[in-house]
Amino acid sequence: MRLETIELRQITMELVEPFETSGWRETVRPCIIVTVYSDGLAGYGECVAGAGPWYSYETVETAWHVLKDFLAPAVLGQDFTSAEELQAKLKPIRGHPMAKAALEAAFWDLLAQAQNISLARLLGGTKDRIESGISIGIQKDIPSLLETIEHRLAQGYKRIKLKIKPGWDLEVLRAVRRRFPDIDLMADANAAYTIADLPHLRQLDEFGLLMVEQPLDYDDLVDHSRLQRELQTPICLDESIKTPDDARKALDIGACRIINIKPGRVGGLLNAKRIHDLCWERGVPVWCGGMLETGIGRATNVALASLPNFVLPNDISASARYWREDIIEPPFVLEHDGTITVPTGPGLGVRVVPERLERATQRRLALTPAPLSLPGERGRG
Ligand code: OSB
Ligand code: MG
C-alpha cells in the first residue's frame, strides 16, 4: 500500500462526566485522529496523548509535532505491505509511542480493509465478544462512589476498577467490600505510592482484589519487583510497560503477574501483539486498558482484545459511558452478559460519521509526499 496522504485532525470531545485519577482530572478529551489514504481507502487511527504530560510525557502538541515533522515525512509516498515494515521505517525516531501507534493503527485499518477482513481477524483475534469492565474515577465521597458502583453493576459491567491514591484507598475499599463482598474488584493507583509505603500497601491484601494496578512510579520495575514479593495481591503494570522488552524484563524480575496492554502506550498494535504473545508463552494473563478513547480508538482496542490471552475484563466500556454522541456508528454497547461485540466488517468495522468528526475538529492538516526537487531546478526562479 502506498501512503498517499496523511491527514491529522485535532478534535475535542466532551466527557459525559469528569474523570479523576490520583494525578489529574479530565473533563474534555482532546486527541488527534490520523487518517491515512491509499488506493481509494481511508484508514483511521487515534492518538491517545492527552492535554498534558500527566499519564506520560506525550501531549497532543508533542504528538502533532512528531507526526507532522518526523513520522509522516518518514513514510509518505512509500509502499508498505506489513506493519513490521512500517515500524522499521519509524525506528530511528526515538520514543513518542502514542504518536507512532496512531499512525500504525491507521495503517492496520487500511491493511485489513484492503484484504476485506476485520482488523480483529487480521490481528489473529479468536473471540466474537470481549469482556467489559469499568474504571471509576475518584468521587467526592464514599456514598457517591457506592451509588456509582451500584449503577454500573446494574448495567452489567463485569469488573469494577477503582482509582485510588493516598487518602482515598483503604477506607474506601473497606466500605466497598462491606457493601459488595463478592464483586470482581481492583484498584489503580496511577503511580501514587513509593516503596516506603510498603506497610500501608500490605493492607491491600485484606480486600481480595483481582490486582492492584501501577502502585509505584511510572518508570519503575525494580521497586515493583520488591513490592510484588511482599504482596499476595497480584500487581498489574500499566505505565511502566512501554515496550515488549520492558514486558520481558518485568516478568523476568517478577515486577508484576498481570499486564495491562494499551496499544498507544507501547507504540502500536504490533508491539501490543508481541507483548500479548510473550505473556501467553509465559502463562501471564493480560487485558486491554483504555485512555478514554473515541469510537475510533475503542474499535482498535476491541479488535486487539479479541486475541486469546486477553483473559481478564478490559477497560473497554460502552460508548455512552464516555460520550453523549460518539464520532462513529454504530456506538459500542454493553450486552446483557457484560460483553461488547467485536465488529466483523472490514477494518475497524465501524463507520466514522463525517459531520460529527467535522464538528469536533479544532485544526486539520493534510500531508502529502514532498515534491522531488529536479536536477537543475535549485536556485531557479
Ligand atoms: O490508568 O488506566 C489508566 C484513563 C486515562 C488514562 C489512564 C487510565 C485511564 C482509565 C480509564 O483508567 C480507562 C477507560 O475506560 O478508557
Ligand atoms: Mg492504569
Side-chain angles (χ1 to χ4, degrees):
M1 321 221 54
R2 185 171 170 274
L3 309 190
E4 293 153 10
T5 302
I6 297 179
E7 184 193 63
L8 308 181
R9 271 176 193 265
Q10 184 181 329
I11 67 167
T12 307
M13 299 282 287
E14 203 180 316
L15 286 161
V16 292
E17 57 189 27
F19 187 77
E20 187 173 326
T21 74
S22 62
W24 69 93
R25 181 184 163 89
E26 303 184 64
T27 52
V28 291
R29 183 77 185 156
C31 73
I32 300 169
I33 301 297
V34 177
T35 316
V36 179
Y37 296 90
S38 177
D39 215 7
L41 299 172
Y44 289 93
E46 175 168 339
C47 177
V48 298
W54 323 127
Y55 171 85
S56 83
Y57 65 80
E58 288 185 275
T59 69
V60 170
E61 288 295 330
T62 69
W64 187 275
H65 163 53
V66 169
L67 278 160
K68 169 170 75 75
D69 295 322
F70 299 102
L71 301 175
V75 299
L76 267 168
Q78 299 177 52
D79 250 301
F80 295 95
T81 56
S82 70
E84 282 83 353
E85 283 174 21
L86 188 82
Q87 191 188 61
K89 217 18 147 208
L90 303 180
K91 192 153 182 250
I93 300 155
R94 289 189 178 167
H96 302 281
M98 292 175 178
K100 286 176 181 167
L103 178 58
E104 203 201 273
F107 176 72
W108 276 101
D109 181 21
L110 269 181
L111 268 186
Q113 288 182 52
Q115 295 176 44
N116 202 29
I117 59 172
S118 69
L119 175 59
R121 180 145 167 239
L122 182 61
L123 288 169
T126 52
K127 304 170 202 243
D128 53 14
R129 292 165 305 160
I130 58 115
E131 286 190 89
S132 183
I134 190 160
S135 173
I136 299 179
I138 291 168
Q139 306 288 306
K140 69 173 196 296
D141 52 31
I142 290 174
S144 330
L145 175 65
L146 295 176
E147 199 181 304
T148 304
I149 296 173
E150 179 97 62
H151 170 62
R152 295 309 187 183
L153 291 170
Q155 287 181 320
Y157 286 104
K158 287 206 160 179
R159 177 227 67 193
I160 300 289
K161 164 168 141 182
L162 302 182
K163 291 293 190 182
I164 58 166
K165 64 174 182 182
W168 180 265
D169 49 14
L170 303 177
E171 191 197 339
V172 172
L173 288 165
R174 203 165 288 124
V176 171
R177 263 301 179 228
R178 204 176 305 126
R179 174 82 167 271
F180 308 101
D182 303 319
I183 60 168
D184 279 350
L185 183 66
M186 60 176 286
D188 183 0
N190 289 105
Y193 302 90
T194 73
I195 195 68
D197 297 311
L198 177 59
H200 183 75
L201 293 170
R202 264 206 196 96
Q203 297 178 73
L204 289 173
D205 280 343
E206 70 184 82
F207 305 114
L209 303 178
L210 287 175
M211 68 195 91
V212 57
E213 183 176 339
Q214 196 70 38
L216 310 181
D217 206 17
Y218 68 90
D219 244 351
D220 170 76
L221 294 178
V222 174
D223 281 350
H224 277 105
S225 142
R226 211 178 125 197
L227 178 63
Q228 183 64 93
R229 269 177 273 141
E230 304 283 337
L231 286 189
Q232 273 154 28
T233 308
I235 291 176
C236 169
L237 289 178
D238 176 355
E239 284 92 325
S240 288
I241 306 297
K242 295 161 179 88
T243 63
D245 259 348
D246 284 346
R248 175 180 56 77
K249 291 171 191 172
L251 299 180
D252 282 350
I253 68 169
C256 63
R257 296 190 191 136
I258 299 171
I259 292 180
N260 159 341
I261 301 181
K262 294 178 180 173
R265 196 193 64 227
V266 303
L269 286 168
L270 186 59
N271 281 352
K273 194 169 146 58
R274 287 184 177 137
I275 295 173
H276 164 275
D277 294 351
L278 171 81
C279 288
W280 203 14
E281 278 164 28
R282 299 205 187 183
V284 172
V286 304
W287 53 282
C288 183
M291 293 291 290
L292 311 176
E293 287 88 350
T294 75
I296 293 174
R298 193 165 312 285
T300 303
N301 288 353
V302 167
L304 177 67
S306 74
L307 270 63
N309 194 37
F310 282 82
V311 291
L312 292 161
N314 306 284
D315 271 353
I316 304 178
S317 312
S319 298
R321 176 257 188 279
Y322 309 91
W323 322 114
R324 227 172 295 285
E325 186 183 66
D326 205 338
I327 54 175
I328 52 126
E329 281 290 339
F332 286 100
V333 295
L334 192 69
E335 306 293 346
H336 295 297
D337 62 353
T339 65
I340 285 177
T341 303
V342 181
T344 53
L348 294 178
V350 294
R351 191 174 70 84
V352 177
V353 182
E355 314 82 76
R356 296 188 199 157
L357 186 60
E358 201 55 47
R359 230 181 296 135
T361 298
Q362 310 287 311
R363 58 171 163 167
R364 59 185 285 190
L365 183 65
L367 300 159
T368 50
L372 292 172
S373 59
L374 300 170
E377 227 183 26
R378 194 188 308 219
R380 249 203 291 147

